[in-house]
Amino acid sequence: MTIDWMHFTPWRSLAGGALIGLAAVLFMALNGRIAGISGVLGGLLGRSAAGDRLWRLLFVAGLLLAVPLWRLAGALPPATIAAGTPLLVVAGLLVGLGTRYAAGCTSGHGVCGLSRGSPRSLAATAAFMAAGFLTVYALRHLMPAAFNGWGG
């Protein structure tokens, strides 16, 4: 993905981050649950109490409907993904594997866990970030030919 620095909107980004934080706090305060996507989706697809299915379904529906609803309000910023399907599939599988090993995803640990002061979430988020930094460095600088071979 590339960023169009000429049209970068830090105030909108800040507002978006604040809304994510507010939503996580309200979700915790009103439902007593952590707004971690992997846990919500895992509970929806796996075993969960009958009363848990509706809110999980609505949560996921809200995630899926956010982009079409935003399009009604205005144009989305342009985004390009400089990767082909094989790289995206491998990346998705690695993210899923990491989510299982970390007992949560970036939203659960990074947004909700860090704000609660969870040491486990701090360690998980540090590991997510370090793995991301090292992977990008390795693919872009140590093995650029391998990265370009996977690109779109």
Side-chain angles (χ1 to χ4, degrees), residues 82 87 135-151:
L87 182 60
T135 300
V136 169
Y137 182 80
L139 290 176
R140 297 282 178 162
H141 302 288
L142 302 178
M143 302 182 299
F147 178 77
N148 291 334
W150 285 72

Side-chain angles (χ1 to χ4, degrees), residues 85-102 150:
T85 302
L87 182 60
L88 294 176
V89 169
V90 170
L93 292 172
L94 288 173
V95 167
L97 183 66
T99 297
R100 290 298 286 170
Y101 279 121
W150 285 72

Side-chain angles (χ1 to χ4, degrees), residues 8-123:
F8 180 60
T9 55
W11 295 113
R12 286 185 183 177
S13 302
L14 180 63
L19 286 173
I20 290 171
L22 178 63
V25 167
L26 288 174
F27 195 72
M28 174 69 85
L30 299 175
N31 296 321
R33 302 206 183 258
I34 294 172
I37 309 308
S38 62
V40 172
L41 186 60
L44 180 63
L45 299 176
R47 296 181 199 167
S48 63
D52 276 356
R53 285 226 178 282
L54 179 61
W55 74 261
R56 291 174 190 275
L57 184 62
L58 292 173
F59 192 102
V60 172
L63 292 174
L64 296 174
L65 291 173
V67 171
L69 290 175
W70 181 265
R71 284 189 177 146
L72 294 176
L76 292 172
T80 58
I81 300 174
T85 302
L87 182 60
L88 294 176
V89 169
V90 170
L93 292 172
L94 288 173
V95 167
L97 183 66
T99 297
R100 290 298 286 170
Y101 279 121
C105 58
T106 53
S107 57
H109 285 298
V111 175
C112 301
L114 288 180
S115 64
R116 292 181 301 115
S118 167
R120 185 175 85 165
S121 291
L122 177 61

